C-alpha cells in the first residue's frame, strides 16, 4: 500500500517522520498565576516549539474533570476544564498552531470516564439492569451476600479493581475508583465516542493520542487473573515479584500477554472504525496508540494499514542502556512495523515514567517504572544521567520513523527526586499506601527563566508542585545560544533531521568491531554511540555535525556519547 493510500482521502503522510512534543498543560506555562499551567499559557509559548523545530504538539487532557488523575478522569469530553481555560482557547490554539506550521494532537481517554461524568451519575441512580448501567462494567459480587469483588483483578494504581455501590453491585476500574471503566461491548458507548471524535475533528485537531488503547475490551468472562493469584510470571525485574498491591507498576502488569483485560483482539475493531472516521477528514488526521503491549509483533497490530498511525514503542523506552539490548529492540521494532507497512514510533520520556535523564543514571531499569523515586531512595548521579540522556536522545532522533519528546527534556530536566512526600498529588501514592511514590517527579512545572519567581512558569511564585532549586540551572533562559547546552543540541539535531529527512530513510548497521559501540547509517547521516568506558575514534573521513558531548581532540568519542557525522562538503 502506498503512502498516499495509507494517508486517506486528501491526506498527507506528514506523520511518518514527524517529531511531536508532548505538552502536559498543568505544568507547561501558567498565564494567570494560580500555579496551574493553562491553554493561554501554551499559546504564549507556542513559538518555543517552533524554535525548537518540532512538527506537532500533543496536549495531555484539558477536558472538564475533577482532576483526580490530573485530567485523565474526564467528566465532559466536549468541554475544557476552567482550570485550563475555555473551549474557545482550543480553537485559538489550533489556529495559532496551524499558522505556525505545527499540527495539534489531543488526548482521548476512552477506557474510563470520571465518576462525575453524567453517564456514571445516571448509571448510579438508574440501578442494576438499566441501560445507563450498561455503559459501564457493573457486576454482582461473589461469595455470601455478594460481598466479594466479582474477580481478583488489581487496579493499576494499587488495590482492588472493583468498588461496591450502595445497591450491592460492583463496578470495574482498572485505575482509580474515580475512573470507572466503560463497557466497549455497548453500541451506545461506541456511538458516543464516534461523536466525540467528530466534535474535535470538526474543530480542526490533527489527531488523537488514545489513552490505554490496549485496555478498552476485556475478556467477556472476566476470569480471575492471575488465575492462581500468583505474582506476574513475566516479571522484568526483581521488584516485580512483590505482591500485586505492594507497588504500582504499569509496565510489569501490562506486559503479560495472557492478561484478560489488556490487548484483547476486540480492540482492533474499534480502531478500524475510528480510522474510517479520521480518514473522512482532509489534512492527514492521525491516531496514536498508548498501548503497553509486548512483544513488538503484538504492538504492530495496532498500526496495521486500516488502524492507527503510531504506537508508542515502550520496549525502547524501558530498554536498559546496553548496546546489545538497544540494537535488538531497534531491529525488532523496524521489522515488526515494517511487516505491516507502518513506521516506528520512538519515545524516551512522558508524564508516566521517570525522566530518561534520571532513569538512565541507574544500572537497574526498574527505575523506569511508575513507582517513582523519592527521599530515602538511592540518589541518581545527575551529571552522568544527563550525559547518557543526551546520548540516548541523539541516538533516538536519528532512527527512522516518528519520535515523541516530553516537555522539559529539551532542557535536560532530571526527575525531581527531591519532591517532599507531602506534596505528592498522583493517586498512585495514596492507592499503594505510600509504597509507590508515583509520577509527580516528572510533572513538576517547567523552568523558563533562571531568575524569575516560579522560574518563569507563571507570573507569580505559585506552582502546583514545588520546583526544586536546581531548576535554575536548567531554565531555558540560561541555555539559549549556549552551544553546549541541551536545548541547543536538541535544536541542532531537529534542524538537521528535518533538512536531511532522515526519519524517512532506512537504517543500515555498520560493523564497529567493538561490542560497546553502535554505529549505523541513515541517509546521509552516520551515527555512532560509545557505551564503553574507553574513548573511541570517530570513523575517518567524516565530519561531526551534532554531538551529545564534546569530542576529545576533535575526534575521540568518550563514554556515553553519540555523534552524528556527515561527509565533508566537497
Ligand atoms: C495515562 C496516565 C493515566 C492512565 C489512566 C495512562 O496511560 O498516560 O497518565 O493515569 O492512563 O488514564
Amino acid at each position: 500500500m502506498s503512502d498516499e493510500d495509507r494517508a486517506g482521502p486528501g491526506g498527507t503522510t506528514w506523520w511518518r517522520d514527524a517529531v511531536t512534543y508532548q505538552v502536559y498543560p498543568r505544568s507547561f506555562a501558567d498565564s494567570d498565576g494560580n500555579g496551574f499551567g493553562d491553554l493561554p499559557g501554551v499559546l504564549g509559548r507556542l513559538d518555543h516549539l517552533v524554535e525548537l523545530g518540532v512538527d506537532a504538539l500533543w496536549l495531555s487532557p484539558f477536558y472538564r474533570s475533577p482532576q483526580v488523575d490530573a485530567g485523565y478522569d474526564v467528566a465532559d469530553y466536549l468541554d475544557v476544564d476552567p482550570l485550563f481555560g475555555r473551549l474557545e482557547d482550543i480553537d485559538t490554539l489550533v489556529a495559532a498552531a496551524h499558522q505556525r506550521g505545527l499540527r495539534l494532537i489531543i488526548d482521548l481517554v476512552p477506557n474510563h470516564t470520571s465518576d462525575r461524568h453524567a453517564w456514571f451519575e445516571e448509571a448510579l441512580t438508574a440501578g442494576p439492569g438499566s441501560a445507563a448501567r450498561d455503559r459501564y462494567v457493573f457486576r454482582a459480587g461473589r461469595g455470601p451476600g455478594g460481598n466479594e469483588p466479582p474477580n481478583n483483578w488489581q487496579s493499576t494504581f494499587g488495590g482492588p479493581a472493583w468498588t461496591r455501590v450502595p445497591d450491592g453491585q460492583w463496578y470495574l476500574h482498572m485505575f482509580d475508583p474515580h475512573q470507572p471503566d466503560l463497557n466497549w461491548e455497548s453500541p451506545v458507548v461506541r456511538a458516543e465516542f464516534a461523536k466525540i471524535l467528530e466534535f474535535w475533528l470538526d474543530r480542526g485537531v490533527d489527531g488523537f493520542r488514545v489513552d490505554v488503547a490496549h485496555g478498552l475490551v476485556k475478556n467477556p468472562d472476566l476470569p480471575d487473573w492471575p488465575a492462581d493469584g500468583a505474582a506476574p510470571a513475566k516479571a522484568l525485574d526483581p521488584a516485580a515479584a512483590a505482591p500485586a498491591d505492594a507497588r504500582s507498576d504499569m509496565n510489569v502488569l501490562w506486559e503479560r500477554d495472557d492478561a484478560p483485560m489488556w490487548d484483547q483482539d476486540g480492540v482492533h475493531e474499534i480502531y478500524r472504525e475510528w480510522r474510517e472516521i479520521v480518514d473522512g477528514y482532509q489534512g492527514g488526521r492521525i491516531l496514536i496508540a498508548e498501548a503497553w503491549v509486548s512483544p513488538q509483533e503484538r504492538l504492530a497490530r495496532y498500526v496495521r494499514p486500516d488502524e492507527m498511525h503510531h504506537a508508542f514503542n515502550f520496549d525502547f523506552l524501558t530498554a536498559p542502556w546496553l548496546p546489545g539490548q538497544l540494537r535488538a529492540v531497534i531491529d525488532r521494532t523496524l521489522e515488526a512495523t515494517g511487516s505491516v507497512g507502518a513506521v516506528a514510533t520512538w519515545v524516551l520520556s512522558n508524564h508516566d515514567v521517570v525522566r530518561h535523564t534520571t532513569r538512565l543514571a541507574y544500572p537497574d531499569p526498574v527505575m523506569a517504572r511508575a513507582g517513582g523515586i523519592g527521599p530515602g531512595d538511592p540518589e541518581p548521579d545527575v551529571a552522568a544521567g544527563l550525559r547518557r540522556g543526551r546520548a540516548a536522545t541523539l541516538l533516538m532522533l536519528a532512527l527512522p520513523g516518528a519520535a515523541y519528546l516530553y516537555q522539559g527534556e529539551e532542557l535536560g530536566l532530571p526527575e525531581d527526586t527531591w519532591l517532599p512526600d507531602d506534596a505528592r498529588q498522583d493517586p498512585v501514592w495514596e492507592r499503594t499506601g505510600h509504597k509507590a511514590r508515583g509520577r509527580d517527579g516528572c510533572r513538576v512545572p517547567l523552568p523558563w527563566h533562571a531568575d524569575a519567581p516560579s522560574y518563569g512558569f507563571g507570573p507569580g511564585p505559585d506552582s502546583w508542585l514545588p520546583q526544586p532549586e536546581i531548576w535554575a540551572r536548567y531554565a531555558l533562559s540560561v541555555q539559549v545560544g549556549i552551544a553546549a547546552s541541551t536545548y541547543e543540541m536538541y535544536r541542532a539535531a531537529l534542524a538537521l533531521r528535518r533538512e536531511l529527512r532522515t526519519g524517512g530513510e532506512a537504517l543500515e548497521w555498520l560493523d564497529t568491531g567493538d561490542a560497546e559501540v553502535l554505529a549505523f547509517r541513515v541517509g546521509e547521516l552516520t551515527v555512532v554511540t560509545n557505551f564503553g568506558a574507553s574513548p573511541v575514534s570517530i570513523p575517518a573521513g567524516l565530519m561531526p555535525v551534532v554531538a551529545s558531548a564534546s569530542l576529545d581532540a576533535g575526534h575521540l568519542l568518550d563514554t556515553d556519547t553519540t555523534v552524528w557525522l556527515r561527509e565533508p562538503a566537497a
Side-chain angles (χ1 to χ4, degrees):
M1 188 176 253
S2 74
D3 277 7
E4 283 64 35
D5 291 340
R6 283 183 60 91
T12 74
T13 52
W14 67 271
W15 43 271
R16 285 186 75 86
D17 61 352
V19 178
T20 302
Y21 181 101
Q22 180 188 358
V23 170
Y24 194 66
R26 57 166 52 210
S27 303
F28 188 66
D30 174 17
S31 72
D32 58 13
N34 69 352
F36 288 87
D38 47 40
L39 296 175
V42 179
L43 183 67
R45 293 281 182 193
L46 218 44
D47 286 330
H48 171 65
L49 305 193
V50 176
E51 275 149 33
L52 186 61
V54 298
D55 304 295
L57 69 149
W58 144 37
L59 280 181
S60 278
F62 48 74
Y63 307 103
R64 268 191 192 270
S65 158
Q67 303 291 328
V68 169
D69 184 21
Y72 283 93
D73 48 319
V74 179
D76 184 350
Y77 292 92
L78 306 181
D79 204 359
V80 168
D81 197 279
L83 187 63
F84 299 122
R86 299 171 311 149
L87 194 51
E88 296 73 49
D89 291 322
I90 289 290
D91 297 339
T92 310
L93 203 54
V94 169
H98 288 172
Q99 205 179 27
R100 289 164 173 77
L102 291 170
R103 312 269 176 162
L104 192 143
I105 307 295
I106 64 172
D107 219 305
L108 186 73
V109 189
N111 180 66
H112 44 264
T113 68
S114 159
D115 61 345
R116 305 281 296 280
H117 194 291
W119 300 338
F120 194 73
E121 290 177 345
E122 199 190 329
L124 288 186
T125 47
S130 61
R133 233 165 235 209
D134 191 49
R135 286 206 188 96
Y136 293 89
V137 186
F138 277 90
R139 290 290 185 281
R142 293 200 291 206
N147 290 337
E148 300 291 323
N151 68 24
N152 69 351
W153 293 4
Q154 295 292 304
S155 143
T156 311
F157 289 170
W162 296 91
T163 291
R164 200 170 197 190
V165 299
D167 58 48
Q169 279 204 317
W170 299 74
Y171 68 89
L172 177 68
H173 51 85
M174 289 313 302
F175 296 89
D176 193 87
H178 296 289
Q179 293 168 297
D181 277 48
L182 283 162
N183 169 23
W184 276 89
E185 305 298 338
S186 155
V188 177
V189 168
R190 290 185 186 224
E192 292 285 4
F193 269 85
K195 282 193 274 176
I196 292 166
L197 258 79
E198 285 163 2
F199 176 86
W200 292 106
L201 291 165
D202 287 341
R203 296 194 103 86
V205 306
D206 295 290
F208 304 93
R209 174 263 187 192
V210 180
D211 190 57
V212 197
H214 59 314
L216 275 51
V217 173
K218 280 84 184 171
N219 176 326
D221 299 334
L222 304 178
D224 273 350
W225 183 83
D228 54 3
K234 199 178 153 192
L236 294 183
D237 60 70
D245 64 350
R247 58 202 296 270
S248 167
D249 194 331
M250 291 192 184
N251 311 1
V252 169
L253 287 176
W254 290 10
E255 279 173 4
R256 290 279 308 261
D257 44 21
D258 59 342
M261 69 292 271
W262 309 128
D263 195 28
Q264 302 294 296
D265 289 347
V267 293
H268 297 285
E269 188 187 312
I270 300 168
Y271 304 132
R272 282 194 280 268
E273 277 173 32
W274 290 4
R275 181 59 180 255
E276 279 185 30
I277 295 175
V278 298
D279 279 356
Y281 286 79
Q282 298 292 310
R285 317 289 180 101
I286 68 168
L287 297 167
I288 302 128
E290 187 228 12
W292 288 83
V293 168
S294 218
Q296 289 289 328
E297 293 68 29
R298 289 293 297 185
L299 186 63
R301 291 156 55 92
Y302 289 77
V303 287
R304 287 179 288 196
D306 57 349
E307 297 193 39
M308 304 220 194
H309 299 75
H310 291 161
F312 292 117
N313 185 351
F314 294 126
D315 279 354
F316 178 71
L317 184 150
T318 53
W321 185 244
L322 295 171
Q325 292 200 35
L326 276 169
R327 181 174 167 160
V329 172
I330 293 168
D331 280 340
R332 212 161 164 190
T333 303
L334 293 174
E335 199 182 314
T337 48
S339 73
V340 292
V343 292
T345 302
W346 310 103
V347 61
L348 284 167
S349 280
N350 66 32
H351 67 293
D352 289 330
V353 298
V354 171
R355 285 184 176 276
H356 70 277
T357 40
T358 298
R359 208 169 69 220
L360 296 175
Y362 291 94
D364 181 350
V366 69
M367 289 301 182
R369 313 291 189 201
I373 304 166
D377 288 330
E379 272 295 313
D381 177 337
V382 175
L386 179 58
R387 186 179 179 94
R388 272 190 189 169
R390 288 171 52 129
T393 296
L394 269 198
L395 174 65
M396 174 181 86
L397 286 177
L399 294 171
Y404 282 76
L405 306 178
Y406 175 51
Q407 67 178 37
E409 69 168 89
E410 77 279 23
L411 305 175
L413 275 194
E415 182 82 357
D416 181 356
T417 54
W418 312 275
L419 199 63
D421 284 343
D422 61 8
R424 297 191 187 282
Q425 308 278 325
D426 185 352
V428 165
W429 174 237
E430 291 300 331
R431 293 280 300 160
T432 59
H434 298 181
K435 292 197 179 83
R437 287 207 160 78
R439 302 159 293 177
D440 294 309
C442 65
R443 299 175 174 180
V444 175
L446 293 192
W448 296 92
H449 289 291
D451 303 320
S454 70
Y455 302 106
F457 165 60
D462 292 344
S463 90
W464 70 278
L465 285 172
Q467 299 162 297
E469 274 174 28
I470 195 177
W471 254 212
R473 275 194 234 164
Y474 296 89
L476 179 67
S477 63
V478 299
Q479 300 201 36
V480 174
I482 307 294
S485 72
T486 303
Y487 170 72
E488 293 297 351
M489 181 198 84
Y490 269 76
R491 248 164 59 87
L494 290 167
L496 200 56
R497 177 189 159 101
R498 183 177 277 176
E499 181 194 326
L500 302 180
R501 305 296 309 246
T502 50
E505 299 283 354
L507 176 147
E508 181 199 341
W509 291 107
L510 302 173
D511 183 12
T512 63
D514 182 340
E516 298 291 344
V517 181
L518 287 185
F520 59 88
R521 196 172 297 129
V522 57
E524 286 175 48
L525 220 53
T526 298
V527 180
V528 185
T529 303
N530 181 11
F531 296 79
S534 337
V536 294
S537 258
I538 60 172
L542 293 176
M543 190 180 67
V545 278
V546 189
S548 65
S550 58
L551 303 188
D552 290 343
H555 71 100
L556 283 179
L557 203 57
D558 221 329
T559 184
D560 295 336
T561 307
T562 298
V563 65
W564 289 9
L565 305 141
R566 283 178 87 175
E567 304 270 349

